[in-house]
Amino acid sequence: PRAGRVPAGHCRVPCVADTNDGAEIFDEGREDISRHALREDGGAPQADVDRCDVPRHVAVIMDGNRRYGRRVHGSAARGHWEGGNALINFVRWCMAERVEILTVYAFSTENWRRSEGEVRVLMSIFIRYFDELRKEALLRGIRVNVLSSTESKLPQDVRDGIHRLTTSTAHCKFFVLNICMSYGGRDEIVGACRSVARAAVCGNLQPEDLTEDDIRSRLLTGLYGIPDPDVLLRTGGDVRISNFLLWQTAYAEMFFLECEWPEITREDLVDVIQRFARKRDRRFGQ
């Protein structure tokens, strides 16, 4: 088993069995703690690098929630909930370090293959989490986008929560948080290709005129005008990108951490930013 760190300062919630509906992980104080955490200012930047050397867009594969929950609490569901706490902290740290855009992999198309009980717990967490995130995003000026390549698979109450979250924060301009949910990179590219094919059938695009921009603009990130990530960070110890932003990460600097997602610290983020800044001479094949 991987050695892990037990994070300090994370709120504790009651244990929940992996097969129930997840209700027991919602204690009354959880929302107040999350709300307070996101309202706190992350303080001055700690990376000590020039603004121009800070990655504008960081993408994260938040891996290790289940393993952490089972190892530390004996409950995978509790690991998922504490992973939500870690995301709140990570958003604050990114804002303090002058990162402008954060894209996180919350639920992949492959995650639908997990047990019915675990998926049900995750959907319950998402519903509650989205409502809390909406309140705090409005206070901090955070625009939240939810990118889904298979949105139709999501339960209606989850889609309703996504709609409330994204429409309520659409005007915010201080920071952008993209949550990839029921998302797969291959599905996203296939969807873009279908859009190109429809344009060609309608006579609006000739095959010989097809460019990368025609594909890029039809990706989910392109629909929101989101630039490609400068950095891809993955926790959990695995060294792969797992069908995440396959097109967009072509030139991203990749960092793989041994810690599981709920254990992520600000020092981890600062180290990634500093390492990125040291290799800032990115030639993109030239």
Side-chain angles (χ1 to χ4, degrees):
R2 296 185 179 91
R5 303 189 300 264
V6 177
H10 283 230
C11 64
R12 300 302 179 187
V13 294
C15 189
V16 58
D18 294 348
T19 56
N20 67 15
D21 64 3
E24 288 85 346
I25 62 177
F26 304 130
D27 68 280
E28 293 182 357
R30 169 59 179 82
E31 289 78 12
D32 290 338
I33 294 170
S34 295
R35 191 172 295 124
H36 178 70
L38 193 53
R39 284 178 185 169
E40 288 181 345
D41 193 330
Q46 296 180 10
D48 192 26
V49 301
D50 291 340
R51 177 69 179 266
C52 63
D53 291 333
V54 174
R56 180 186 180 195
H57 183 183
V58 172
V60 180
I61 300 175
M62 305 182 295
D63 194 23
N65 290 330
R66 280 200 302 180
R67 291 190 297 270
Y68 172 85
R70 288 168 177 164
R71 174 171 56 82
V72 177
H73 303 296
S75 166
R78 188 160 167 180
H80 291 305
W81 189 251
E82 293 205 8
N85 297 341
L87 177 56
I88 287 174
N89 288 325
F90 201 80
V91 168
R92 289 194 302 116
W93 301 334
C94 283
M95 295 173 76
E97 297 296 337
R98 301 169 295 180
V99 173
E100 298 177 18
I101 305 167
L102 173 64
T103 300
V104 298
Y105 206 6
F107 190 88
S108 72
T109 50
E110 290 78 15
N111 289 154
W112 289 112
R113 301 172 189 167
R114 294 184 177 182
S115 70
E116 182 180 347
E118 183 176 0
V119 170
R120 186 169 60 247
V121 168
L122 283 166
M123 294 301 119
S124 298
I125 290 173
F126 285 134
I127 292 169
R128 190 69 167 264
Y129 187 80
F130 283 164
D131 280 341
E132 286 305 309
L133 180 59
R134 177 174 55 85
K135 300 169 188 174
E136 301 318 304
L138 287 170
L139 288 173
R140 296 297 298 269
I142 301 171
R143 176 180 176 178
V144 184
N145 303 311
V146 177
L147 312 184
S148 177
S149 60
T150 54
E151 184 179 6
S152 61
K153 289 188 176 182
L154 294 169
Q156 187 60 51
D157 49 0
V158 175
R159 281 183 273 170
D160 290 343
I162 290 172
H163 179 74
R164 288 192 297 271
L165 174 62
T166 56
T167 56
S168 296
T169 63
H171 67 283
C172 297
K173 301 182 182 301
F174 192 69
F175 187 81
V176 177
L177 171 62
N178 304 305
I179 301 174
C180 294
M181 184 174 180
S182 192
Y183 169 91
R186 289 178 176 177
D187 277 347
E188 180 185 26
I189 292 171
V190 169
C193 292
R194 285 174 178 154
S195 177
V196 167
R198 285 192 292 268
V201 168
C202 293
N204 297 324
L205 180 66
Q206 297 301 314
E208 59 271 18
D209 295 331
L210 182 65
T211 67
E212 286 189 12
D213 285 340
D214 291 315
I215 301 292
R216 183 182 294 108
S217 64
R218 289 170 167 83
L219 297 171
L220 294 172
T221 49
L223 297 177
Y224 288 100
I226 302 166
D228 291 346
D230 303 293
V231 163
L232 172 65
L233 185 158
R234 178 175 184 146
T235 59
D238 289 326
V239 183
R240 55 177 180 264
I241 58 176
S242 297
N243 201 20
F244 181 50
L245 300 178
L246 297 180
W247 178 286
Q248 298 89 334
T249 55
Y251 286 102
E253 300 288 344
M254 297 186 181
F255 300 87
F256 299 93
L257 307 184
E258 288 294 325
C259 68
E260 287 155 355
W261 174 248
E263 302 170 311
I264 193 82
T265 67
R266 183 163 181 178
E267 288 71 25
D268 293 322
L269 175 62
V270 168
D271 180 62
V272 166
I273 292 173
Q274 290 174 336
R275 290 161 64 191
F276 173 82
R278 287 198 294 269
K279 56 173 67 174
R280 191 65 178 91
D281 182 21
R282 305 172 73 208
R283 296 179 297 277
F284 300 96
Q286 297 181 15

